[in-house]
Amino acid sequence: YLIAITCYTSYRSQNDLCSKVDIVMNDNSNIKFVTAEDINMEIGNDDNCFLSKSVSEINTHELEKRLNSIDKIESANCVFYNNSRLRVEVTPLIPVARIFDGSNSYYINKDGKKMGANVRYHVDVPIISGNFGASYNASSMLNVLNYIQSDSVWNSLISGINVANNHDIIISPMIKGHVINFGDTSLIENKFERIKTFYKEVMPIKGWNY
């Protein structure tokens, strides 16, 4: 009896119409690089057309494959509940910087993974520009960027980073008229402390032109 009733209810549920689509975003950041509306569009339900389809017509495996193929998504899981509700759970990748690499533009996350930049997905993050190559890449700047973002003074003062090569990192402050050649990525904290000392103790006496 249990086997028969289970098969019967499973068969009936496959013919039921999708009652609702619940999109759950596992995103605790303030960036919201990928929204629930974006996911709804990616799975083809932007006009709620799934509500007119039966459960058997919606291939959750194919939906997962489609979402997991998007470089801005870390993982996705799609499953139907017994009440014919479709749950789409998505964990997006979180960008930490926008990279302008010659004629290419893309985002990177905290692990240096690239995410394509297009009109639909846009977020205001620090900009790193340069012509990166095999000997040095954009992700090698993450330690410098992380230090800047961890310090409220530098985070508000620095507008961008330009990488000429792995020995010449050029930092552009909001203060116009000068740039800082930071050198390489060694002694990051020490260098920033010396720059801060220069701003506090030298510039007020010598003047900005010095």
Side-chain angles (χ1 to χ4, degrees):
Y1 173 78
L2 288 174
I3 294 172
I5 198 66
T6 301
C7 293
Y8 176 72
T9 53
S10 177
Y11 170 77
R12 286 290 302 271
S13 65
Q14 289 294 310
N15 291 290
D16 289 341
L17 292 178
C18 175
S19 61
K20 191 177 180 182
V21 178
D22 295 321
I23 297 177
V24 180
M25 303 297 295
N26 296 326
D27 183 3
N28 295 323
S29 71
N30 295 321
I31 295 177
K32 308 304 178 190
F33 189 51
V34 181
T35 65
E37 290 75 18
D38 294 327
I39 299 303
N40 211 34
M41 184 179 296
E42 291 291 350
I43 64 175
N45 187 47
D46 46 315
D47 57 354
N48 290 319
C49 64
F50 280 14
L51 302 184
S52 62
K53 294 183 178 181
S54 66
V55 172
S56 60
E57 290 181 279
I58 302 172
N59 190 326
T60 54
H61 179 66
E62 287 299 322
L63 292 181
E64 285 183 5
K65 283 181 61 179
R66 185 188 308 175
L67 292 175
N68 284 317
S69 68
I70 300 172
D71 60 356
K72 299 162 187 67
I73 293 175
E74 187 170 302
S75 65
N77 183 49
C78 304
V79 63
F80 267 109
Y81 288 155
N82 290 335
N83 55 3
S84 301
R85 291 177 68 148
L86 174 62
R87 178 185 173 91
V88 181
E89 188 172 356
V90 174
T91 302
L93 285 173
I94 307 300
V96 297
R98 177 76 178 269
I99 309 300
F100 288 92
D101 184 359
S103 60
N104 298 321
S105 176
Y106 51 89
Y107 294 97
I108 57 173
N109 73 342
K110 62 181 178 60
D111 300 315
K113 184 176 180 179
K114 293 182 181 181
M115 296 171 276
N118 56 47
V119 176
R120 182 187 298 178
Y121 300 102
H122 174 75
V123 65
D124 186 17
V125 289
I127 292 174
I128 301 175
S129 59
N131 292 303
F132 299 101
S135 58
Y136 65 103
N137 53 46
S139 61
S140 64
M141 298 299 110
L142 287 175
N143 287 341
V144 177
L145 182 63
N146 290 337
Y147 185 87
I148 292 170
Q149 293 181 321
S150 68
D151 188 294
S152 59
V153 174
W154 292 120
N155 197 37
S156 60
L157 184 65
I158 293 173
S159 60
I161 300 173
N162 180 268
V163 184
N165 55 60
N166 57 347
H167 297 296
D168 289 298
I169 301 168
I170 310 299
I171 294 176
S172 301
M174 292 289 188
I175 306 164
K176 294 182 179 179
H178 75 283
V179 295
I180 302 165
N181 190 323
F182 196 75
D184 58 20
T185 57
S186 66
L187 302 173
I188 294 173
E189 183 176 359
N190 178 278
K191 289 176 182 178
F192 274 115
E193 284 302 314
R194 283 187 281 145
I195 296 169
K196 192 179 290 184
T197 300
F198 179 72
Y199 279 157
K200 287 181 178 180
E201 300 182 19
V202 178
M203 300 296 262
I205 297 172
K206 292 290 188 178
W208 289 101
N209 289 333
Y210 177 81

